[in-house]
Amino acid sequence: MSEAGAAPDPVHRQTPLHASDQPYDAHVLAQLDADAALIIARYPERRSALLPLLHLVQSVDGFVTGRGVNWCAEKLELTAAEVSGVATFYTQYKRHPNGDYTVGVCTNTLCAIMGGDEIFERVSDHLGIGHDETTEDGKVTLERVECNAACDYAPVVMVNWEFFDNQTPQSATALVDDLRAGNEVTPTRGASRACAFKHTERVLAGFPDGLADEGVGAGPASLEGLKVAHQRGWTAPDPGADDDHGPEGADGAGEAER
């Protein structure tokens, strides 16, 4: 947490990845190896499986551990440095233990002016933690998120990448309280419940949990443009109608010139 009176630190503070001599238990390693074989078989090049394998490591360890890096390197015939370079590039890969629920508050432009900054500050004060920090009970990790791609529902909060739309400081603090109390929370769209971090990481590794088609996918606000298009009879141009002279016709003249 930032010191009292200090400006909030927007930088994603990270610790280095460290090698680990602690091996996986035999039964855990056997399951990892079996899952890895299924993932690697999806790609023509082994190294292309690195991103889902890192999510698989997080589904077991809760973050990208040194032993996880070494295991990925062995499976994909890469060096530990190559694996570490990828794991330290993407913020979805954690370099230290993560909470059961990652609460991401969008503070990008639209969400920010609609109240995202206020939501983050209120939740941060309420939990006593800052960006990329975790509550002492290990339940919640709080993050500033650059964009949740849900501007039509701003301000948006995500819990392990499930949408909680049109949030307020009050609803967001109630949300994190429910998560810490072990209460089931229901996303605005998508799955019927927000699952724990390790569960979600296994899904991101490519193992569906059957929840993807639950709930609303695109809500009314997302469909307003489509609704207007239908009302006005608008359709997308036929790409097959274009010729070498471009979409304006063979003579190059647009409608404004005719």
Side-chain angles (χ1 to χ4, degrees), residues 8-28:
D9 183 2
V11 179
H12 197 85
R13 298 189 298 278
Q14 298 277 20
T15 55
L17 292 171
H18 296 287
S20 173
D21 294 328
Q22 181 181 4
Y24 287 108
D25 292 338
H27 71 283
V28 174

Side-chain angles (χ1 to χ4, degrees), residues 6-61:
D9 183 2
V11 179
H12 197 85
R13 298 189 298 278
Q14 298 277 20
T15 55
L17 292 171
H18 296 287
S20 173
D21 294 328
Q22 181 181 4
Y24 287 108
D25 292 338
H27 71 283
V28 174
L29 182 59
Q31 184 63 57
L32 277 171
D33 288 343
D35 289 340
L38 294 174
I39 293 171
I40 292 170
R42 301 171 187 160
Y43 299 92
E45 298 289 340
R46 295 180 68 88
R47 66 186 298 129
S48 299
L50 179 54
L51 298 183
L53 283 194
L54 287 169
H55 283 298
L56 188 63
V57 166
Q58 292 197 139
S59 76
V60 173
D61 290 336

Side-chain angles (χ1 to χ4, degrees), residues 67-92:
R67 66 182 182 178
V69 168
N70 292 334
W71 176 78
C72 287
E74 178 183 347
K75 285 293 164 187
L76 302 178
E77 300 173 0
L78 299 170
T79 66
E82 288 174 315
V83 175
S84 297
V86 172
T88 56
F89 182 83
Y90 297 104
T91 57
Q92 232 177 351

Side-chain angles (χ1 to χ4, degrees), residues 147-170:
C147 183
N148 285 327
C151 302
D152 39 356
Y153 291 101
V156 174
V157 172
M158 298 195 89
V159 176
N160 290 343
W161 303 285
E162 296 288 358
F163 288 106
F164 288 79
D165 302 321
N166 299 315
Q167 292 294 293
T168 65
Q170 294 76 21

